[in-house]
Structures are given as C-alpha cells and as structure tokens.
Amino acid sequence: MEDLNASNNVSKPDNVLSVITRATEIFLRGSLATWQANIFDVLRLLGHELGITRIYLCKNKQQHDDQVVTGIRYEWISDTDTANVDPPALQEINISESGYNRWIETFRQQGIIFGKVSDMPIGERGWFIGAEAKSIIAVPVFVEQEWWGFICFENYAPEEIWTSAEIDAFKTVALIFGAAIRRKRTEEALEREKKSVEQQAREIQDIARFPAEDPSPVLRISKDGVVLYANRAADPLLQSWQVTVGEHIPPHWQSINQRVFESNQTETTDVEYADQTFAVLFSPVISSDYVNLYAREVTKEREVDRMKSDFISLVSHQLRTPLTAIRWYSDKLIRKGASLDANQKEWAQDIYDTSIQLTAIVNDLLNISRLERGKIDPQLKPNDINKLINECIHELTLHAENKKITLNSDTPPIEPFNFDGELIKQVILNLISNAIKYTPNEGLVQVKTRVQDHDVIIEVIDSGIGIPQADQAAIFQRFFRAENASKQGIEGTGLGLSFAKMVVEKSGGDIWFSSTENNGSTFSFSLPLQPKVDTITS
Ligand code: ADP
C-alpha cells in the first residue's frame, strides 16, 4: 500500500519546510510548563498549513512481542479546533487484536503507513470509516532507540494524495516529536533531581537549625577544650563555666572532655548553676576532633532523688542504734548467760544472727543512698587499720562461731595512716561478713594485712563456695549476685561489693579478688599510705 498514493510532485515544498522550522522552534522555545500547549500549537500548525482534518499522537502503553496496547495521548481536530488530552474512549486500544499487526511490524522497522482508507485491507479500516477519514498517514515516533508510539494524520477530503514532500515532512515531524519527548524526559529527570537536591538542602538546613532551637543545651567542644558552638539554651552552662564561645572550658571539665575523647566513650555528669541542675552527656566525635555535649535540666529529678535518699539515710541511721543494742544484749546473753539452758542459748543466738543480717541490710540501705547521691568524699584522718580490722572481727565473731567457722587475723603492725575510718570499716565489714556468709559450716576465714611498696594491702580469705568463672566479670556490678549464691538460698542484695569498690577507688586504692568455685575466695584491696584523694563529684 505504501506506494499507492505517493506522488513525486512537490507541490508545497516551501510551505512544508517553513512548517517544520516553526514546529521545531515551538519545541525549542518551550519548557516543561508549556509542553502541552506546545504540542497543540504544533498540531494546529501542521493541520492548518498542510490542510489536515485530524491529527493524533498515540502512545504505546504496553508491549509484549506481538501484543501492543496503545492510546491517544493528544488529539487535534480542525473543523472545531478541538484539542484533546487522553480522550477517554480512545485509551487501551489493543492494536494486535484489532487486526493492525502489519502496522506493528512496519512501525518497529521505522516504516510508515499511508494511503486512501478505501485501499486499505478491510481489517484495517475500522478506525477510519466511522470517522469518515478518506486518507491517512501514520508515522512511528521513536524516543532514542525505543518505539514510543505513532502520529497519525487523517484527511476527510475525498481525493487527497500525499506528496512526497508532505510524507517527508510527516516523517520529520515524527522525528521532532521523538526529540521533543526525549528532551521533556530529560527535563523531568533534572527537575526531579533538582527537587530532591532542594529537599535534601532543606533537610540539612532543618537539622542545622535544630540545635539552635532545641530547648535543651547543646554544645560542641574541641578536643583541646575550646567551645566551638553553643545554642541559646546552653547559656547557663557557659555562665557556670564563666566562658563564651571561642574560650577554653575550666580544667576540671576539660579533663572529662579529654578522657571522653581519648576513651571514645560517652560520659554523663551533673552541672549545677544558680538553682538549676543539668545532666550533661559528653559524646565524642573522634573523626572530627570534637566532643558534642547534650544537656538536660534535671533540677526536679535530682531534688526528688535527694529527698528519697535523705529519707532512706535518716531511717537507716535511726534503725542502727536499736539494732546495735539488740546485737550487744544478745551477744552478752550468749557469752555470759551461764544460767541459760540450751534452748534459751539457741534463741539468743538466733536473735544475734538476725540482728547481724538486719545490720547488713541497713548498711546496704545507707550505702545505696550514698551511692545515689553519687558523692563519696572520704574524710582523711590518721587511722589504725589493724585496730579497725579487730573491731570488725569482734563484731562478727559470734556470727562466725554460730557456723563453727574459724575467724582469725594475721596483721603485723602498721603505723596509722590517712584514710576514712568509717567508710573503710564498712568495706571490711562487708568483705568479712560475705566471707562468713558464703562459707559453709566449719570453714575458715582469715584477714591479713601487709605493706607493699606505697600501699597497705588488706586480704579477706575464705574456704567458701567460691564464685563461678562465668560470674566473675560482673561481681562488682550493682545488684549482681552469683548463680551459686542465689541457688543455695543465701540472702543478699548484691550491693555490698559495688559500694566497697566505689569507696576503695575514691580512697585512691584498688579492689580485686581471686576465686575458684567450691574452693574459696580471696578479696583484696589496697589503700595508699599517702593518698591523693579524688573528691570530684562523679
Ligand atoms: P550480697 O552479698 O549482698 O549479695 P555483694 O555485693 O556483697 O552482695 O556480693 C555480690 C555477690 O558476690 C554475692 O551475691 C555473691 O554471689 C558473690 N560473693 C561476694 N563475696 C563472696 C565470697 N566471699 N564468696 C563467694 N561469693 C561471694
């Protein structure tokens, strides 16, 4: 059919050329925003100048081998100058089912279909008869290498014969459409990219603004302690340090800053200013050589904490005196009550043991309130360590005797030196009572002291149940209890050792242990003979 109506007479070459030039210009000047208007301008131009009744652009929607579904995207009709976009009745046209397989093959090979409708195979006339088209020309549109769809020109005038100039013009027009669609796609992609870049920029700006508007203090401190950034809410912190942005933070805070940076571990500490308390989290950013500080006002929380621990501390102190009396009288009864019969002696012993247990609980309560305040300030005074140990042994002798445990000490003379007698007594009492508690009847508990270099070492050795290897790493953690202790129903709170560790470390010493399950434990701690005490709030 292709050759039927082709004519070599070049009747409107000038007109055709100028139409193509103007169509190209329309697309060149246009933008994404004017895309649709540009399409119709071009269709209208082609229609008017080349005398065409109806022009439409079909876009392929699905393509599977020989199945092609297409639909009219843009349509222009001359007599009413109507411009349609996606006319609803002309969507989802399955060309293969409609008998246009020849068109598919031709288009795929970049060929064109043209001629009088009356000359077309019967199966292909359906589209045009109803529309009264007398001749048509359909040209595929390719976008890059992809067959995008086709453009169809219909003439309703009876004897229209397409000139070769017109056919060339239509082919060129299809090329121009292909190029314009490609440009549109590129522009859309650019637009999308621009939008996403703009979106990212907005997000970055929002994030950047975030700390400034954050009602909680946010600061950035360089590795060497210079304030690099502080939001408005951080003013009280800067005032408490008496610095502004660009200045060095005070030495004590710089030591925390440096420690955090070097260990690459976060640390939280309280800062008090005027009547406010802030919990400040130091968070290192190693790759950038600075530490971020995030603070939160905790004035109320700290007040409630303080009230709780004041209450616990008060009640525990009040309990201690009557408990001491109970222990003292029951001790007296057992030791000197010759007139007591066996039963009565046993009851007195029970009273004594219970008072020991209660004292341990009360001590734990007191210690926990000290821990909760986060403040342990050892009061340094010359004290005799061996004397202190003997007092502790004396307090616990009956307890040991009740379990037929041998409790003795090996304490060569040591000159008095500076430590907090009250706090260290709590540590020794805790270690000895643990040794008795975790040693079965008829065992052995020994306390030894010695001087080693610049320290005094105190050791509490027992022949007890020991600590399973798997539990050893956690033994100084608050509330931690080893499995064997809990399983055997031995009472405890898991607080004594964490308190002991804190006291010993605040006193400038160290605490450690060695233990084998079922074979006993040795808890040791050191105290410096000449302590340099760190009394900083932790
Ligand atoms: P508590 O004895 O009140 O449970 P501690 O903090 O004093 O709390 O001790 C923590 C845990 O360490 C104990 O529960 C126990 O499992 C283990 N432990 C401490 N001392 C000894 C010891 N001398 N022998 C065996 N286990 C011990």
Side-chain angles (χ1 to χ4, degrees):
M1 174 173 159
E2 269 108 63
D3 290 334
L4 287 180
N5 290 325
S7 151
N8 289 329
N9 90 33
V10 186
S11 58
K12 315 172 193 165
D14 288 348
N15 204 14
V16 166
L17 255 184
S18 90
V19 167
I20 289 173
T21 315
R22 278 156 62 198
T24 314
E25 270 175 20
I26 291 173
F27 279 131
L28 277 180
R29 291 220 185 94
S31 66
L32 266 187
T34 58
W35 167 255
Q36 202 159 295
N38 296 150
I39 295 252
F40 287 117
D41 283 350
V42 171
L43 296 185
R44 197 174 284 116
L45 174 74
L46 292 168
H48 285 162
E49 298 295 325
L50 304 177
I52 298 159
T53 322
R54 181 176 175 232
I55 311 175
Y56 47 88
L57 258 165
C58 282
K59 182 185 178 186
N60 295 337
K61 297 183 168 177
Q62 289 173 36
Q63 289 195 55
H64 302 289
D65 305 326
D66 55 345
Q67 295 284 313
V68 177
V69 175
T70 193
I72 294 187
R73 186 83 184 88
Y74 305 103
E75 177 190 42
W76 175 82
I77 302 165
S78 74
D79 49 356
T80 46
D81 193 15
T82 322
N84 293 322
V85 181
D86 295 331
L90 302 167
Q91 303 298 316
E92 313 298 329
I93 304 162
N94 189 331
I95 327 186
S96 17
E97 275 178 10
S98 316
Y100 289 84
N101 297 34
R102 182 176 69 100
W103 289 40
I104 297 175
E105 276 159 37
T106 309
F107 288 158
R108 281 200 173 134
Q109 285 159 27
Q110 312 211 359
I112 64 170
I113 303 278
F114 67 96
K116 286 184 190 168
V117 172
S118 56
D119 292 336
M120 285 165 63
I122 305 246
E124 293 179 13
R125 291 184 203 167
W127 270 19
F128 311 104
I129 301 271
E132 293 175 17
K134 299 292 184 290
S135 52
I136 61 119
I137 177 161
V139 190
V141 175
F142 278 77
V143 177
E144 295 178 271
Q145 299 307 311
E146 174 205 341
W147 175 36
W148 180 89
F150 62 95
I151 181 166
C152 192
F153 305 85
E154 291 182 357
N155 250 341
Y156 293 17
E159 292 303 323
E160 181 64 36
I161 293 175
W162 306 111
T163 66
S164 62
E166 280 171 319
I167 291 171
D168 284 344
F170 295 134
K171 284 184 183 169
T172 313
V173 164
L175 285 177
I176 294 172
F177 270 105
I181 292 166
R182 182 181 166 189
R183 183 180 140 195
K184 179 179 172 247
R185 281 187 186 170
T186 316
E187 281 179 5
E188 280 170 347
L190 278 174
E191 187 76 5
R192 272 197 302 276
E193 202 166 303
K194 194 172 141 214
K195 278 203 179 122
S196 98
V197 169
E198 279 169 3
Q199 174 71 15
Q200 281 172 16
R202 256 197 312 277
E203 279 170 12
I204 289 170
Q205 265 184 358
D206 286 351
I207 291 168
R209 214 172 32 230
F210 169 70
E213 289 169 1
D214 194 328
S216 298
V218 179
L219 298 103
R220 176 165 292 166
I221 313 279
S222 75
K223 187 172 112 189
D224 39 332
V226 176
V227 182
L228 300 174
Y229 168 84
N231 69 353
R232 271 190 303 280
D235 281 352
L237 291 178
L238 293 180
Q239 281 157 16
S240 81
W241 293 335
Q242 298 182 337
V243 295
T244 55
V245 174
E247 293 180 348
H248 278 90
I249 55 173
H252 165 56
W253 295 99
Q254 172 51 11
S255 70
I256 301 178
N257 193 52
Q258 203 171 337
R259 185 167 64 230
V260 163
F261 191 84
E262 279 162 10
S263 65
N264 194 13
Q265 304 231 328
T266 58
E267 216 174 282
T268 307
T269 188
D270 278 6
V271 176
E272 284 173 17
Y273 178 65
D275 48 4
Q276 285 179 299
T277 309
F278 294 92
V280 184
L281 171 80
F282 286 66
S283 170
V285 186
I286 303 297
S287 55
S288 302
D289 270 6
Y290 54 66
V291 175
N292 283 336
L293 273 60
Y294 306 98
R296 194 167 59 86
E297 212 215 304
V298 290
T299 315
K300 279 258 146 38
E301 276 169 66
R302 293 292 182 268
E303 204 181 308
V304 171
D305 286 352
R306 238 188 311 268
M307 279 163 63
K308 265 197 309 196
S309 78
D310 282 353
F311 174 75
I312 292 175
S313 154
L314 181 87
V315 172
S316 323
H317 270 297
Q318 300 285 328
L319 280 171
R320 261 177 154 187
T321 318
L323 268 174
T324 311
I326 293 171
R327 198 177 64 233
W328 197 78
Y329 285 116
S330 52
D331 182 322
K332 257 190 153 37
L333 269 178
I334 298 162
R335 286 180 198 276
K336 298 190 178 128
S339 54
L340 297 186
D341 65 26
N343 270 345
Q344 289 165 330
K345 257 202 168 142
E346 204 185 313
W347 296 333
Q349 183 72 50
D350 279 352
I351 294 171
Y352 174 84
D353 287 344
T354 313
S355 77
I356 292 280
Q357 260 179 35
L358 264 176
T359 309
I361 293 170
V362 166
N363 281 339
D364 277 349
L365 278 175
L366 257 179
N367 296 340
I368 209 177
S369 73
R370 282 175 174 137
L371 282 175
E372 276 192 341
R373 277 171 220 226
K375 222 177 214 174
I376 292 201
D377 290 331
Q379 302 296 312
L380 300 184
K381 275 189 211 129
N383 277 297
D384 183 337
I385 189 78
N386 289 335
K387 198 167 150 237
L388 200 72
I389 289 171
N390 285 336
E391 275 173 36
C392 296
I393 289 181
H394 181 73
E395 273 187 39
L396 295 167
T397 297
L398 264 181
H399 189 41
E401 277 175 8
N402 197 29
K403 288 180 79 177
K404 299 195 173 61
I405 286 175
T406 310
L407 172 59
N408 60 35
S409 64
D410 174 6
T411 53
I414 296 171
E415 284 296 302
F417 64 102
N418 281 327
F419 63 89
D420 186 318
E422 178 56 27
L423 288 175
I424 295 299
K425 185 173 177 184
Q426 290 301 319
V427 174
I428 298 170
L429 275 174
N430 181 265
L431 295 184
I432 301 178
S433 60
N434 271 356
I436 298 171
K437 189 160 66 163
Y438 297 112
T439 297
N441 288 357
E442 293 169 10
L444 175 69
V445 173
Q446 269 184 305
V447 186
K448 291 184 179 175
T449 53
R450 68 191 144 90
V451 174
Q452 184 178 300
D453 301 330
H454 304 293
D455 294 321
V456 172
I457 313 284
I458 298 102
E459 280 179 336
V460 180
I461 307 155
D462 68 56
S463 59
I465 61 172
I467 299 164
Q469 188 66 36
D471 290 335
Q472 294 197 358
I475 215 73
F476 289 108
Q477 281 174 19
R478 279 169 91 173
F479 300 110
F480 183 83
R481 305 207 63 221
E483 210 192 341
N484 57 345
S486 322
K487 260 197 187 148
Q488 294 180 31
I490 306 173
E491 310 238 322
T493 58
L495 284 168
L497 286 182
S498 67
F499 176 76
K501 183 171 159 67
M502 190 161 176
V503 168
V504 169
E505 286 178 355
K506 287 285 177 194
S507 305
D510 239 328
I511 185 163
W512 66 95
F513 69 96
S514 64
S515 180
T516 315
E517 195 173 0
N518 300 321
N519 219 1
S521 312
T522 299
F523 278 83
S524 317
F525 68 95
S526 64
L527 287 174
L529 282 165
Q530 282 164 346
K532 267 196 284 156
V533 180
D534 175 14
T535 50
I536 287 161
T537 313
S538 66

